[in-house]
Amino acid sequence: MAQATTGQAPGVRIDGLSVVYKTPAGELPAVRDVSLTLEPGSITGIVGESGSGKSTLALSLLNAVQPPGRISTGSVEIDGLGDVVGFEGERLRKARGAHIGYVFQAAQNSLNPLKTVGKQLLDLGRSHGVEDLRGLVREARELLGRMGLDGARVLDSYQHELSGGMRQRVGIMLALVLNAHLVVLDEPTTALDMITQANILKIVREVHAERGLTTLVITHDIGVVAEVADRLAVMYGGRLVEQGPTRQVLGDPRHPYTKGLIKAIPRLIGDIDEARALPGRPPTLASAPKEGCVFRERCALRMDICDTDDPAALAHGPRIVACHAVKVKEHA
Amino acid sequence: MITGNGIVKTFKQRGSVLGGREVRALRGVDFSIAKGGAASFIGESGCGKTTLGRIIAGLETYDGGEIAIDGVPMSSLTPKQRQPHFRKIQLIHQDPYSALNPTRTIHQTLRAPLALRAKQTGRSRTWMDERAAEVLSLVGLDPATVLARYPHQLSGGMRQRVVIARALTVDPEMLVADEAVSMIDVSLRLGILALLKDLRERLGVSVLFITHDVATARYIGGDGDLYVIYRGQVVERGPVDTVIADPVHPYTQSLLSAIPVLHGLEQPGEQPVVPLEALEAGQDDAGCLFAPRCPFRGERCETERPLLRLTEGVPQEHACFYPERRSVIARPMSEV
Amino acid sequence: MSATLIPEATSATATMRRNFWQGVWRVMKRKPSRMAGVVIIVGFAFMGVFGPMFFPDHLPGNANAITQPPSWEHWFGTDPQGRDVLALVITGSRYVLLCATVTAIITVVLGTTLGLFSGFKRGRWDTVLMRITDMKLTIPGLPLLLVLATVWKFGSPIQMGLVLGLLGWGGVARAVRAQTLSLRERGFIEAARGLGLSTSHIVGRELLPSMAPYIAMNMLISVTGAVYAQVGLFFLGVLPYESDNWGVMLNLAVFQAGAMIQPNALGYLMAPLLAILLLTLGIVLVVDAMDEIFNPRLREE
């Protein structure tokens, strides 16, 4: 049914995106000047802790940032659609679902507890003007079967009758069933145990390849990105501090935060004391410094310029790093 | 310090129309944790590890088996007499925010157990204040900044430290950390883990670490035993490094295989084990509990249930008829 | 050394109390509707306490001006005895408000205490206490009041309040019990048990403050409920009256002065009604702030 051609997988170009939230202390940035390209057919993973702005960035792809937040500058260009930031009303609603599939964090919260999955599927189809509803249901059953579930049974079930892993698969099915080719997964495996997580990630990889999608995974868990994404982007305090091919970033991290984050994860074998804690704590919306590098308080390579100048994101081949110390090293 | 034999716990679910259903949370579990020692429980959610942790901390009753604390069997005591024993064991919850009363300052929160302690040991008001400052310093917090604050004014990591400080006010001999870092930011987790390790060394407190993240268990309890729990039964038990490097039970192997590999930094294990997808198994089919999902199951596994024991050639206890060592975990790239 | 870093216990509590009231003020200022509510409630409290002092014990009746519609001289007109309606409302307020306050206090104190212990202890205590509550809830209040009314003249507002209070705590007990059952599973309650803190501490110092907004809301709403209850009873003529209060006024307005038929008595009818509505409005506006007042995080924002 779905033609698996990479020609259909859209590329996405996020350019200079900034999102601010209105607070009693004025408008504070949750996302600051983020530029990120999702190549057609790739899987990109964004890693960040609390306060990194990663979820806000994901919402911006759908132009779904709710007040008191708003997109203040920048553009989100999606092939086949245009700059989503300028979309409104009907045009925006149609884009979501039909072009962009969004799998919410902890899919259990996005399923209506009072309706069966099948009914919600029909609601979805109707609200997007799908005429062949039978075909939609068939497609859904196939997708669910592809993910290892008994499609007919799941469609007849209510949310509370399904396990966490099953709900997550249902979330993925709903995101794909309208034939979207850009899929965003927000914390797809939080609250799932290890084995279920491994299964879901395998499904994500396989479905991505079969249907020729462009996929974006948002998570706080670096392991998830390592297992699933070609490209890894690291966010901290609203800024994109490092990006590059996953293996390269993990094997040779350049930004001090990325280095510190990887070092702060205890390993299964080897010397226990190799793991080192990162001093300080991640910034919140209110505590993030307005100028200079947002990571400087916790950085071992801190220099004077870090206090005043926000480091620009510089490219070295496929790697992009925003750090003064790295810039100095590269040009030394 | 604490030992348990044959612990059984059954939950009766009050099902509505279908009548009550029984859930066997624990099916005859043995454990022992030495004074100042460590142990870790790993397993999926619903396997019973949290229930066991709560039973050990005295927050849950058990339906069968024996628990002895410092050599004293609990069955020989009345519920009231048991309390001071279980008080030596304090539970650290997963969610630091709900573990602190949001309407009370940290000072007030610490004062309550300290007042009790002061009364028991005949100490004064000043001693209470000094001790509050002391436990906060022990967990790496500055009393002057923290005491007057409310929980919502502290970060997740700080809150968890306060929870640990509160546990220390009653001079515990053991801390049970149930997923103590899973709700904390990744870059802050190691700090809490290091703190627990430090407390073990400094105060001689034993630590029971319950988690689904095996690497964190290794960090704190590397010198203790690792218990792998599946559906209420311990299926493998042995020194942490042995079980991680040379697991013999297929379930342990599945769990360890499922741990994400940081490609670029490490390479996948040689023989990863993927469990089969199984439909809802009956509560008490005869035979091994893991059999429906086990890719290596044999005939014997479907009719007989293996018990936890040692067999020749295998250093750790296991509950499997066909144990086999498989190398499943990721290894650093440099080892190629 | 460390002792100097800890503020003295007494001054710390004093500071906290001061900060609390400062916080309350801040919360109230946030929305003008709340300030309006505060003004109204304070106004009524004033009226109830000091109002009757401004008037003689028996209001002068002007035989020449019975049941007059509102005029410049009498803002709400006069009653069948020629007395000024507004004065009646003010003097009658003391009974109503005092009774309502007593009812609210008894209902909430009894209901909360029982609900808290029942919900926290569970087991046998819970069953016993809830049986008692159920029994009490099934006692029909109105007929009981009617029966009592034959032997008891509810002259004193405190007596009235007592009876209404004793009849009305069931609902609060059930609601508080439900809240307690859900709260007791929270981490900090369990931690308190694990630390060996006494039941009275846990219930009084941990559970109660967490439920404070709920209880405050219940208290305020009980006041309105009690006002309606007694006004309604007096209006229905079910209870004999020996004093003037709003319910009595309504009763007289409808049944004696024929307010439904002739326009003259409209003022007499409207005045107590407006008073009740205004009081309810004031309480509703303030109830909105309860959550923010008792939750330190919301209080400070």
Side-chain angles (χ1 to χ4, degrees):
Chain A
M1 285 201 77
Q3 283 302 316
T5 56
T6 40
Q8 283 195 315
V12 178
R13 282 162 302 284
I14 303 174
D15 192 22
L17 186 71
S18 291
V19 179
V20 294
Y21 274 87
K22 204 168 182 183
T23 68
E27 281 199 325
L28 299 176
V31 172
R32 266 199 284 184
D33 197 26
V34 166
S35 299
L36 176 67
T37 303
L38 307 181
E39 298 291 335
S42 66
I43 309 185
T44 307
I46 298 186
V47 167
E49 299 177 286
S50 56
S52 59
K54 60 188 192 302
S55 290
T56 310
L57 181 62
L59 286 175
S60 312
L61 274 181
L62 294 172
N63 196 359
V65 177
Q66 301 290 350
R70 68 182 182 91
I71 298 179
S72 60
T73 49
S75 62
V76 176
E77 251 201 64
I78 301 180
D79 286 346
L81 274 182
D83 182 5
V84 180
V85 174
F87 281 29
E88 282 181 346
E90 265 304 294
R91 207 174 164 208
L92 184 60
R93 203 184 58 76
K94 284 225 165 69
R96 297 175 191 163
H99 290 267
I100 312 171
Y102 197 95
V103 183
F104 287 89
Q105 190 167 355
Q108 46 253 49
N109 291 336
S110 60
L111 292 176
N112 187 332
L114 299 174
K115 287 190 176 170
T116 61
V117 173
K119 284 231 175 66
Q120 293 180 59
L121 174 67
L122 293 175
D123 284 345
L124 185 66
R126 265 180 238 128
S127 69
H128 279 269
V130 172
E131 284 167 5
D132 182 14
L133 287 175
R134 281 243 181 93
L136 190 71
V137 173
R138 235 179 300 135
E139 172 84 355
R141 246 187 275 145
E142 257 181 59
L143 268 168
L144 289 170
R146 171 72 199 69
M147 294 195 269
L149 296 178
D150 178 354
R153 188 181 146 222
V154 169
L155 286 176
D156 274 337
S157 307
Y158 287 91
Q159 182 232 68
H160 61 266
E161 293 169 339
L162 305 172
S163 72
M166 289 165 119
R167 280 184 228 142
Q168 198 61 37
R169 287 171 171 98
V170 167
I172 295 175
M173 178 276 286
L174 288 172
L176 293 174
V177 78
L178 290 175
N179 229 351
H181 282 271
L182 170 62
V183 178
V184 180
L185 296 116
D186 190 354
E187 298 283 8
T189 56
T190 309
L192 297 178
D193 48 72
M194 286 283 189
I195 296 183
T196 315
Q197 172 174 293
N199 289 340
I200 299 283
L201 292 180
K202 190 166 124 211
I203 288 172
V204 169
R205 279 197 308 266
E206 289 171 358
V207 168
H208 166 95
E210 279 169 27
R211 295 174 80 97
L213 307 171
T214 304
T215 307
L216 178 64
V217 177
I218 320 269
T219 177
H220 68 275
D221 188 345
I222 241 185
V224 167
V225 174
E227 282 286 347
V228 110
D230 314 315
R231 216 173 149 75
L232 165 56
V234 181
M235 282 191 76
Y236 186 82
R239 307 283 270 114
L240 201 52
V241 297
E242 181 160 7
Q243 31 168 321
T246 310
R247 285 179 184 244
Q248 284 187 31
V249 176
L250 289 178
D252 176 30
R254 303 247 175 104
H255 194 282
Y257 173 62
T258 318
K259 278 200 195 147
L261 192 62
I262 294 176
K263 208 138 171 70
I265 300 176
R267 314 294 327 134
L268 278 176
I269 46 178
D271 190 359
I272 292 182
D273 291 315
E274 280 254 326
R276 211 48 71 75
L278 253 183
R281 44 188 169 116
T284 59
L285 197 64
S287 69
K290 292 208 171 41
E291 26 173 61
C293 175
V294 73
F295 183 63
R296 62 179 185 268
E297 300 287 326
R298 305 170 83 182
C299 186
L301 301 177
R302 183 177 184 172
M303 308 184 296
D304 284 335
I305 191 176
C306 304
D307 288 342
T308 50
D309 283 5
D310 200 2
L314 295 175
H316 313 279
R319 304 279 291 270
I320 306 180
V321 184
C323 175
H324 292 298
V326 169
K327 188 166 97 173
V328 167
K329 202 168 70 156
E330 295 287 322
H331 291 238
Chain B
M1 185 241 146
I2 179 171
T3 56
N5 285 305
I7 304 297
V8 174
K9 175 77 184 173
T10 313
F11 285 108
K12 291 187 203 22
Q13 276 185 355
R14 280 185 240 145
S16 45
V17 185
L18 305 172
R21 243 192 348 158
E22 277 193 353
V23 179
R24 301 261 169 95
L26 294 170
R27 304 166 194 260
V29 170
D30 299 337
F31 60 87
S32 81
I33 303 163
K35 223 179 168 81
S40 319
F41 293 168
I42 59 168
E44 299 170 311
S45 43
C47 69
K49 59 191 196 297
T50 296
T51 309
L52 188 55
R54 288 167 61 82
I55 289 177
I56 291 175
L59 294 170
E60 199 84 63
T61 57
Y62 49 99
D63 304 319
E66 274 276 352
I67 289 189
I69 299 182
D70 283 336
V72 180
M74 291 297 105
S75 54
S76 68
L77 303 175
T78 65
K80 217 162 180 178
Q81 289 171 319
R82 287 182 212 162
Q83 278 186 13
H85 285 277
F86 279 112
R87 205 162 307 144
K88 296 185 215 163
I89 305 171
Q90 288 294 316
L91 180 68
I92 311 286
H93 282 265
Q94 179 179 13
D95 183 357
Y97 191 58
S98 72
L100 294 174
N101 191 329
T103 60
R104 316 215 333 133
T105 61
I106 306 302
H107 193 193
Q108 288 173 312
T109 297
L110 289 178
R111 219 182 4 196
L114 281 175
L116 203 64
R117 195 90 184 130
K119 204 157 58 148
Q120 285 171 347
T121 52
R123 310 290 240 300
S124 68
R125 225 19 184 335
T126 3
W127 173 85
M128 275 170 47
D129 288 335
E130 282 172 4
R131 184 81 179 128
E134 210 182 314
V135 291
L136 284 175
S137 312
L138 268 174
V139 298
L141 292 173
D142 176 21
T145 22
V146 160
L147 278 171
R149 297 262 168 94
Y150 285 99
H152 70 270
Q153 293 169 303
L154 304 175
S155 74
M158 290 168 92
R159 278 180 226 142
Q160 196 65 304
R161 286 171 196 260
V162 170
V163 171
I164 296 174
R166 180 179 60 187
L168 293 177
T169 57
V170 292
D171 298 312
E173 288 177 25
M174 181 156 126
L175 293 176
V176 178
D178 187 358
E179 299 282 12
V181 292
S182 46
M183 291 184 79
I184 298 181
D185 281 322
V186 177
S187 66
L188 301 177
R189 283 183 196 177
L190 198 65
I192 304 287
L193 295 176
L195 170 64
L196 286 172
K197 207 162 151 203
D198 180 52
L199 289 175
R200 262 192 75 195
E201 285 162 27
R202 266 212 265 179
L203 303 177
V205 173
S206 5
V207 174
L208 169 60
F209 201 68
I210 302 175
T211 180
H212 64 273
D213 183 349
V214 188
T216 52
R218 179 176 178 251
Y219 189 81
I220 297 184
D223 55 325
D225 274 351
L226 180 63
Y227 294 67
V228 182
I229 304 180
Y230 183 71
R231 287 183 67 188
Q233 185 190 17
V234 178
V235 297
E236 192 161 349
R237 168 187 170 177
V240 175
D241 280 326
T242 312
V243 175
I244 290 180
D246 290 317
V248 296
H249 193 286
Y251 177 63
T252 317
Q253 292 160 352
S254 313
L255 265 186
L256 292 172
S257 305
I259 297 176
V261 174
L262 297 184
H263 299 278
L265 194 57
E266 9 176 76
Q267 48 172 0
E270 295 155 32
Q271 305 161 284
V273 171
V274 179
L276 310 168
E277 298 273 353
L279 303 165
E280 300 264 334
Q283 266 298 312
D284 264 323
D285 301 346
C288 175
L289 291 165
F290 188 59
R293 295 169 74 190
C294 184
F296 309 109
R297 67 165 173 258
E299 262 191 53
R300 195 177 170 198
C301 308
E302 316 229 341
T303 48
E304 239 186 283
R305 182 164 299 171
L307 296 173
L308 189 71
R309 70 224 184 299
L310 286 168
T311 58
E312 217 184 291
V314 182
Q316 68 259 42
E317 288 177 71
H318 50 278
C320 181
F321 295 126
Y322 308 105
E324 203 171 303
R325 258 178 249 172
R326 295 184 180 98
S327 168
V328 301
I329 56 166
R331 303 202 167 260
M333 294 287 280
S334 47
E335 266 190 34
V336 177
Chain C
M1 180 206 77
S2 50
T4 50
L5 290 172
I6 320 289
E8 275 298 321
T10 43
S11 74
T13 20
T15 326
M16 284 191 58
R17 214 162 282 154
R18 202 178 354 118
N19 287 340
F20 176 71
W21 288 111
Q22 279 176 353
V24 172
W25 181 242
R26 251 200 320 254
V27 168
M28 289 304 186
K29 273 203 300 188
R30 265 176 224 163
K31 283 196 201 167
S33 58
R34 291 180 194 161
M35 289 304 286
V38 171
V39 166
I40 294 178
I41 293 186
V42 169
F44 272 101
F46 222 73
M47 188 189 339
V49 173
F50 298 115
M53 293 186 205
F54 289 109
F55 298 94
D57 264 354
H58 290 281
L59 292 167
N62 189 346
N64 290 331
I66 55 174
T67 320
Q68 292 295 314
S71 64
W72 280 118
E73 211 188 306
H74 300 281
W75 291 1
F76 281 95
T78 61
D79 77 340
Q81 292 181 11
R83 297 180 292 185
D84 177 36
V85 168
L86 185 59
L88 278 173
V89 168
I90 293 180
T91 48
S93 70
R94 186 181 274 184
Y95 185 101
V96 174
L97 294 176
L98 189 54
C99 169
T101 312
V102 169
T103 310
I105 291 178
I106 294 182
T107 311
V108 173
V109 167
L110 258 185
T112 306
T113 316
L114 280 161
L116 269 177
F117 271 99
S118 187
F120 184 69
K121 283 286 201 183
R122 295 200 299 195
R124 227 174 287 157
W125 277 104
D126 185 18
T127 329
V128 167
L129 286 173
M130 280 304 112
R131 286 293 148 265
I132 296 178
T133 313
D134 286 338
M135 280 198 302
K136 199 219 63 57
L137 279 171
T138 51
I139 297 175
L142 189 55
L144 180 64
L145 275 171
L146 290 177
V147 168
L148 281 176
T150 57
V151 293
W152 198 352
K153 311 271 174 200
F154 292 104
S156 153
I158 298 187
Q159 289 175 354
M160 174 98 253
L162 197 69
V163 173
L164 281 180
L166 286 172
L167 286 177
W169 56 262
V172 175
R174 280 228 158 255
V176 167
R177 173 181 173 272
Q179 266 285 73
T180 309
L181 283 175
S182 81
L183 261 183
R184 82 193 289 282
E185 304 305 325
R186 298 202 70 198
F188 63 90
I189 301 291
E190 221 182 40
R193 282 197 293 152
L195 290 166
L197 299 174
S198 68
T199 308
S200 52
H201 169 97
I202 298 181
V203 168
R205 293 304 193 95
E206 306 277 352
L207 278 174
L208 198 58
S210 305
M211 296 178 49
Y214 197 64
I215 295 171
M217 274 190 251
N218 266 324
M219 183 94 73
L220 287 171
I221 293 174
S222 297
V223 168
T224 46
V227 168
Y228 285 126
Q230 18 151 355
V231 165
L233 287 171
F234 280 111
F235 169 68
L236 288 175
V238 154
L239 298 176
Y241 48 90
E242 287 199 342
S243 49
D244 289 312
N245 62 50
W246 300 346
V248 170
M249 289 172 68
L250 282 175
N251 176 300
L252 291 176
V254 172
F255 298 125
Q256 275 200 20
M260 306 302 253
I261 315 174
Q262 45 147 321
N264 274 8
L266 218 49
Y268 189 31
L269 177 70
M270 295 312 293
L273 277 179
L274 280 175
I276 296 170
L277 282 170
L278 200 59
L279 177 61
T280 313
L281 181 67
I283 289 182
V284 163
L285 290 176
V286 166
V287 158
D288 164 55
M290 287 301 118
D291 229 351
E292 284 183 35
I293 288 182
F294 289 102
N295 184 333
R297 175 168 58 168
L298 297 174
R299 193 162 71 222
E300 277 168 38
E301 273 170 29

